[in-house]
Amino acid sequence: MSGTMRAAVLRQPGRDNANPLTVEDRLVPKPGFGEVLLRVEACGVCRTDLHITMGELKPLRDEVIPGHQIVGRVAALGDGVAEFPTPGERVGVSWMGGVDGTCLLCRKGKENLCDYPVFTGYTVNGGYAEYAVARADFCAPLPEEPKPEELAPLLCAGIIGFRSLRVAGVEHGDRVGLFGFGSSAHLAIEVLKAWSCEVYVATRGESHRKMARELGATWVGDALDRPPEQLDCAVTFAPSGDVVMAALASLRKGGAVAINAIHLDRMPQFDYDSLLWGERQLRSVANMTREDARDFLKVAQEIGIRPKTTLFALEEVNAALNAVYKETIDGAAVVLC
Ligand SMILES: [Zn+2]
Ligand SMILES: [Zn+2]
């Protein structure tokens, strides 16, 4: 594979830049040892992309191609790729683009917390481009039938939402709170319904509340409203400490809140005796493991999750980021490459 490709490049992260990505011609990259070259079909837009383009996650390179929910087909194999994936195969690449496999946390089976991680679209180039390189052992097999845009949102929003349910300790039939109702929560509610859970959704924005009702929420309220029942566990998706407090205040004894946010505005001071005592837990959710990816993609296929999406062309990638920032679309934004 040689020649050039279109790619969206970030050079100057910052809050004031409405068009942080420049779509331009780049050389098609070559896969190194253990890597594959993918022809990108679609790449989903995630809130983490905003933290990167706005500089809330500190830039680690002079320039980077963001995008970490990649659906692609294998266009070329690097040396050392033996059985999987094969040329032409459809695979997914998510935020975790690689780990060292040798640090203490990797050895403890917590590769999501690896000391030397590779993050797709942040520490290495990602999927807002016609081609992308990925580690073969961090590619997940994907089914052939769905459209690429129906798979892309599963790869970060979906997997991390699923991991959040695990971190919150959700059991079948539980009363579960979802605080915030963006693309991750849209997918989590489908898993919860399949697990016969009662789902309580607190979110700002009437369109998000309407969507939650349509997707089968038992109760729907505003962002800081208290659900009518005590919850077994909850996941917060909004990057807001006040929302975390609202979730904590709605828990029964022994319940847990999982915070699905890579960045929070602040953490308010709170009353231990009424909010955390009683073995309530507050946990963050960091990244994902390959096991989370495999397990979620299997569940998603079994229950036939087809996320609601809004599509953008690669040349419109800045508009896609702005739409996620301003929450002007329901469901997930996906860039077709
Ligand atoms: Zn993401
Ligand atoms: Zn490690």
Side-chain angles (χ1 to χ4, degrees):
M1 194 67 50
S2 60
T4 61
M5 63 174 188
R6 298 294 282 167
V9 182
L10 174 71
R11 292 197 180 82
Q12 288 255 302
R15 290 196 140 266
D16 304 327
N17 191 347
N19 295 298
L21 301 183
T22 309
V23 181
E24 60 189 37
D25 288 327
R26 301 284 292 234
L27 287 176
V28 174
K30 290 197 186 348
F33 188 86
E35 293 178 335
V36 292
L37 176 70
L38 303 177
R39 174 66 182 92
V40 180
E41 294 183 279
C43 186
V45 182
C46 172
R47 275 212 154 260
T48 303
D49 293 329
L50 297 175
H51 296 315
I52 293 168
T53 59
M54 290 182 170
E56 289 160 349
L57 285 178
K58 144 172 107 71
L60 299 176
R61 304 159 49 115
D62 291 340
E63 55 171 58
V64 69
I65 300 169
H68 59 268
Q69 302 188 85
I70 305 173
V71 177
R73 284 192 188 276
V74 177
L77 301 180
D79 289 338
V81 180
E83 283 159 19
F84 172 83
T86 52
E89 188 165 3
R90 184 187 242 185
V91 296
V93 179
S94 62
W95 174 241
M96 287 301 280
V99 296
D100 64 354
T102 55
C103 76
L104 177 70
L105 287 151
C106 278
R107 283 185 280 123
K108 282 180 174 290
K110 296 183 177 180
E111 67 179 16
N112 61 307
L113 301 177
C114 177
D115 285 332
Y116 302 97
V118 172
F119 294 127
T120 309
Y122 181 47
T123 66
V124 296
N125 284 332
Y128 296 142
E130 289 175 308
Y131 290 89
V133 158
R135 260 176 69 165
D137 56 347
F138 277 76
C139 289
L142 288 178
E144 284 292 329
E145 317 81 67
K147 295 179 188 159
E149 61 266 30
E150 293 171 329
L151 292 168
L154 306 181
L155 292 166
C156 183
I159 298 167
I160 294 204
F162 184 73
R163 180 174 180 84
S164 303
L165 301 182
R166 287 185 156 166
V167 168
V170 175
E171 294 180 5
H172 286 234
D174 273 355
R175 285 189 182 129
V176 182
L178 300 179
F179 288 75
F181 205 68
S183 56
S184 206
H186 277 84
L187 301 170
I189 194 172
E190 304 229 32
V191 175
L192 291 170
K193 296 307 292 180
W195 289 349
S196 308
C197 293
E198 279 179 19
V199 186
Y200 296 75
V201 175
T203 186
R204 65 175 178 172
E206 184 44 40
S207 70
H208 284 185
R209 290 193 285 273
K210 180 163 170 281
M211 176 80 67
R213 275 182 222 110
E214 285 168 9
L215 290 174
T218 300
W219 171 90
V220 178
D222 207 344
L224 302 177
D225 285 354
R226 178 84 66 93
E229 306 284 348
Q230 283 202 317
L231 305 176
D232 295 301
C233 47
V235 180
T236 68
F237 296 92
S240 153
D242 290 330
V243 168
V244 172
M245 289 301 109
L248 197 53
S250 58
L251 281 190
R252 66 156 167 77
K253 283 182 284 187
V257 172
I259 305 172
N260 178 334
I262 197 166
H263 167 82
L264 276 193
D265 54 356
R266 72 200 167 91
M267 198 60 182
Q269 200 171 31
F270 65 92
D271 181 55
Y272 170 80
D273 299 15
S274 60
L275 289 177
L276 205 57
W277 166 250
E279 299 199 344
R280 292 175 178 89
Q281 295 182 62
L282 200 49
R283 296 184 61 184
S284 64
V285 180
N287 312 318
M288 60 186 59
T289 65
R290 280 172 282 184
E291 191 182 10
D292 295 324
R294 253 193 326 270
D295 293 350
F296 170 68
L297 291 168
K298 185 158 171 283
V299 170
Q301 204 180 347
E302 280 164 9
I303 61 182
I305 295 182
R306 293 282 188 275
K308 188 172 153 63
T309 56
T310 302
L311 304 181
F312 295 84
L314 180 57
E315 309 288 328
E316 302 169 320
V317 63
N318 286 309
L321 291 170
N322 283 320
V324 171
Y325 178 63
K326 295 187 178 135
E327 299 185 7
T328 52
I329 53 172
D330 287 319
V334 178
V335 175
L336 295 178
C337 302

